[in-house]
Every structure is written in structure tokens, then in C-alpha cells.
Amino acid sequence: AGVAFAQSAAAPAAAAATQAPDALVKQISNEVLSEVKADKQIQSGDTKRILALVDQKILPHVDFAAMTRSAVGVHWKKATPEQQKRLQEEFKLLLVRTYSRAFTQVTPQTTLDFKPLGASTDPNKATVESEIKGAGQPVKVNYYLAKSTDSWKIVDLEVEAVRMGLSYRSQFSQVINANGIDGLINQLA
């Protein structure tokens, strides 16, 4: 795991900028899986360790503002920059808490299977389809990416046909309509 980190940290930024979306997702996913397999604290559900892994390996490749904006929907424009920042932080923690169970399901036999990258009608968007195979039924995970100025970024994630950004939108909208943006922040916290 330390070798994978050293290699990824030493890779020039230019290589990441030109990396194809499917290659980027494979690299991130394989690095994260290696780290999880090597870290018993993560496997036991240690939220601090999981959050550190997410911050180190995943978030640099995620347009989390876009993901949060999608989840908050039309209310995003009403939020102040400080509220937007807090929403992103709390939404990230919600996702980590919600999906930390997945890290506890990783076994030495867990593997990742990626489908060939399909053609896209928009050269600045891509969907990378994958399956996580382990002890139980395979879990389908699709990554939705958009090309930013210099690299591909993950803008949404779909787990077993549920889009993360979109799945929270109606819940968040109800809370915002009843209690405002700060009400949502407080509920997420």
C-alpha cells in the first residue's frame, strides 16, 4: 500500500491531466482497495481512518462542489459561500458515514471489474461502469465524470442504480423548504 502511494504521489500532474477517465477511475479504485485491504482499522469501520483515506485518495479527483450542488438542487444558489462550504463538508461526512460499511465488507478476495468505456455524445463527459466482487453479490458502481480545464473529475456516483447526488435532492429540498439552508446544515451535522 505504501508503494502504491509513493508511486501515485510521484506521478507528475501532467500525467493525471491527460489520463483517460476509465484509467483514472481504475487507478483510484485500485489504490483505495489496496489501502483498505492493508488497513484493519478501516476494515473495522474507523471513520477517522476512512475520512483520511477519502481525503487523500478520492477527493482530489472529485468535483465535490458539483456533487453537493446536484444534491442541494435549486437551493444551492440561495446559499452563501460559507453555507456552500459547510454543505460540502457535511455532505462529505454524511457520505463517508453512510458508505463506511462498504469498507468493512472488503476481504482479501474482493476484486474490481471494469467495463469497457462506452462512447459518449459529449467529449467532456464520461461514465465508467464497474462491479465490486467479493463474498456476496457483485455491487454495481458507475462513476460519472466531467472534464474540467485540465483533468477528469468525478461529479456523481451511482451505486446499485441509485445516483448519490440526485438521491438526496428531494430529502434536502424538504428540509430546506421547512428550515432553510442552515436547517439542512444543522441536520447533516
Side-chain angles (χ1 to χ4, degrees):
V3 173
F5 171 71
Q7 289 172 339
S8 68
T18 59
Q19 195 170 26
D22 54 339
L24 176 66
V25 171
K26 285 178 190 178
Q27 176 190 333
I28 297 165
S29 299
N30 284 320
E31 287 177 8
V32 168
L33 182 59
S34 293
E35 290 280 336
V36 173
K37 283 182 176 183
D39 192 323
K40 298 295 182 199
Q41 289 175 303
I42 289 175
Q43 292 173 27
S44 70
D46 184 325
T47 305
K48 286 183 182 180
R49 298 282 297 171
I50 293 168
L51 191 55
L53 177 65
V54 168
D55 283 341
Q56 179 186 31
K57 296 286 185 178
I58 299 171
L59 284 187
H61 307 287
V62 175
D63 184 343
F64 209 74
M67 193 178 286
T68 309
R69 192 170 47 248
S70 175
V72 175
V74 297
H75 301 286
W76 180 258
K77 292 179 183 176
K78 299 174 190 172
T80 67
E82 178 59 31
Q83 288 173 319
Q84 290 175 352
K85 182 180 177 202
R86 288 282 319 277
L87 284 166
Q88 287 179 63
E89 291 168 3
E90 296 301 339
F91 187 49
K92 177 179 75 170
L93 289 172
L94 170 68
L95 292 178
V96 167
R97 285 189 304 264
T98 302
Y99 293 99
S100 61
R101 184 174 166 268
F103 290 105
T104 67
Q105 304 299 310
V106 170
T107 68
Q109 293 76 33
T110 301
T111 60
L112 303 171
D113 181 34
F114 292 90
K115 309 299 179 212
L117 187 63
S120 175
T121 56
D122 184 339
N124 294 315
K125 294 185 179 182
T127 303
V128 178
E129 299 177 13
S130 73
E131 281 188 345
I132 302 170
K133 296 179 179 179
Q137 290 283 73
V139 176
K140 293 182 182 194
V141 180
N142 295 334
Y143 302 85
Y144 295 88
L145 294 93
K147 191 160 195 175
S148 66
T149 55
D150 61 346
S151 64
W152 287 95
K153 296 281 187 180
I154 298 168
V155 295
D156 205 353
L157 186 67
E158 180 179 64
V159 180
E160 290 297 323
V162 177
R163 292 275 297 257
M164 297 302 101
L166 298 176
S167 69
Y168 287 102
R169 188 177 294 167
S170 65
Q171 295 171 34
F172 287 2
S173 185
Q174 289 175 350
V175 174
I176 292 169
N177 288 335
N179 302 313
I181 302 276
D182 286 330
L184 175 60
I185 292 169
N186 290 336
Q187 183 171 334
L188 290 171

